[in-house]
Amino acid sequence: MAYSTGVVTNTRASGTAATNIVVNTRNLDTDDSVWITVQVFASVDSSDFYTAYYSMYEVLEDSYDVREFYIAGNVTYEVQLSVTVEAGVPNALMSVTGLDEYGNLVEDQRYTQADLAFITSLSPIKL
């Protein structure tokens, strides 16, 4: 299962810019771990996007995981997430939140599980 925030504008002209984004995962399954893949695409000029981060990690059963990614200086970004489990359907919730330079939430850059768009697969990595 893959999800995206869509392209997020990250400038002060339209609110508070984020310097970091936080990906939160809650694995609700009491028996199986889930594997999370995070891809962050970013752009300093809104035309050329590059892969800022690619990360894959395990979230154990019945646990939480919080990861932070530095994105200051990018005027746009997109976070793509994939959740997989060895067998069956993953039972995990995710959210993505922007944080300003003081660690405060950037309210218009807050994406709950319901806000994330379902996508058929993660985009290819851009080096």
Side-chain angles (χ1 to χ4, degrees):
M1 300 172 80
Y3 301 93
S4 172
T5 58
V7 177
V8 179
T9 301
N10 187 41
T11 63
R12 291 195 188 281
S14 61
T16 302
T19 57
N20 293 289
I21 50 176
V22 176
V23 175
N24 301 289
T25 306
R26 170 72 169 116
N27 184 1
L28 300 168
D29 198 308
T30 57
D31 296 319
D32 295 314
S33 296
V34 294
W35 284 92
I36 307 298
T37 303
V38 177
Q39 292 180 178
V40 179
F41 298 98
S43 177
V44 295
D45 62 6
S46 295
S47 62
D48 292 322
F49 279 79
Y50 66 96
T51 303
Y53 294 96
Y54 174 86
S55 182
M56 185 178 202
Y57 51 91
E58 181 179 22
V59 180
L60 300 176
E61 60 276 356
D62 194 29
S63 67
Y64 292 89
D65 186 88
V66 178
R67 303 280 167 133
E68 195 166 323
F69 302 92
Y70 181 76
I71 52 127
N74 291 291
V75 297
T76 53
Y77 69 86
E78 175 190 11
V79 179
Q80 292 185 4
L81 305 160
S82 176
V83 183
T84 57
V85 65
E86 284 188 29
V89 177
N91 188 17
L93 295 172
M94 295 176 296
S95 66
V96 176
T97 305
L99 299 178
D100 68 15
E101 64 267 28
Y102 305 108
N104 299 314
L105 293 175
V106 178
E107 288 298 328
D108 54 347
Q109 293 184 27
R110 186 175 179 197
Y111 301 88
T112 66
Q113 181 78 37
D115 298 322
L116 296 170
F118 178 78
I119 55 177
T120 56
S121 63
L122 297 177
S123 296
I125 300 295
K126 297 180 178 185
L127 302 175

